[in-house]
Amino acid sequence: MLIEDETTWSTTSNPGYVIKNGFYLYNGYAVQDSRNICPNGFRVPNSNDWRTLFDYVQGNNSFTQLGIDLISGGSSGFNAQENTYRGRGGEYYESQPLNYYQSSNSNEFVVIGNINPENPFTQVNNYNSNLNNSGYCVRCIKN
C-alpha cells in the first residue's frame, strides 16, 4: 500500500511503501509480509546475507576499501547509490552520502557509507527497538 503522509506511515501496522527521490522505500511490515515483496525465486536478504557479501567483497582489503568497492562505480558491481530513508515518525532523511537497505531481520538495517572519500564504511545496524515503521530500500537476492 502506498503511504505518503507522515501520520499514516508512523501509525500503520500494514505493509507499505513510498517513492521518494526515485527510490522505493519499504517499511518493515512489507519486508516481513508472507506475500514476499521480491519477485518469485528471490527474497529480502537477512543480516547474515549482508555480512556474507561484506566478507566476500572485503577479502584481504581494508574495511575502508570495502565501502569504496560497494558504492556506485565500485569494483564489486553492487553499485550502492546515495539514497533517502524514512524514519519511524514518517520523516524523510535525504541528501546524505549513505545507502540504507532493509534486512529481513525486523530489528536490523544495513548502511553502506561514503561520508568522505577517506572514510567509507559498511555496517549492519542492530536496534533493540522495532523498525517496522522505518522505510529503507530493498535489494532482493536469489533463494
Side-chain angles (χ1 to χ4, degrees):
M1 165 173 73
L2 178 63
I3 305 174
E4 294 180 322
D5 71 279
E6 286 186 13
T7 302
T8 304
W9 182 274
S10 67
T11 59
T12 191
S13 57
N14 294 310
Y17 74 96
V18 68
I19 305 167
K20 183 72 171 176
N21 299 332
F23 294 100
Y24 283 75
L25 307 175
Y26 296 91
N27 67 16
Y29 298 108
V31 173
Q32 301 296 322
D33 191 81
S34 63
R35 293 172 289 181
N36 192 9
I37 62 174
C38 294
N40 244 357
F42 289 80
R43 64 181 172 80
V44 176
N46 61 39
S47 34
N48 287 333
D49 296 321
W50 284 105
R51 287 183 184 101
T52 298
L53 171 68
F54 295 167
D55 290 345
Y56 176 78
V57 173
Q58 183 178 8
N60 293 326
N61 293 323
S62 69
F63 199 60
T64 299
Q65 185 63 41
L66 171 62
I68 292 169
D69 290 344
L70 289 170
I71 60 174
S72 186
S75 63
S76 70
F78 184 81
N79 292 324
Q81 299 175 10
E82 294 175 11
N83 60 36
T84 300
Y85 75 94
R86 195 166 193 182
R88 290 181 290 184
E91 69 281 5
Y92 291 103
Y93 295 90
E94 305 175 61
S95 303
Q96 297 184 22
L98 300 170
N99 311 275
Y100 297 88
Y101 297 97
Q102 283 281 15
S103 166
S104 63
N105 304 72
S106 63
N107 64 338
E108 295 181 328
F109 66 96
V110 174
V111 179
I112 299 171
N114 190 21
I115 298 298
N116 63 60
E118 291 78 40
N119 190 28
F121 67 95
T122 56
Q123 63 189 30
V124 174
N125 285 329
N126 185 353
Y127 282 120
N128 293 328
S129 59
N130 190 328
L131 293 172
N132 281 330
N133 289 89
S134 297
Y136 303 106
C137 289
V138 169
R139 285 279 183 104
C140 298
I141 62 172
K142 283 188 176 185
N143 287 332

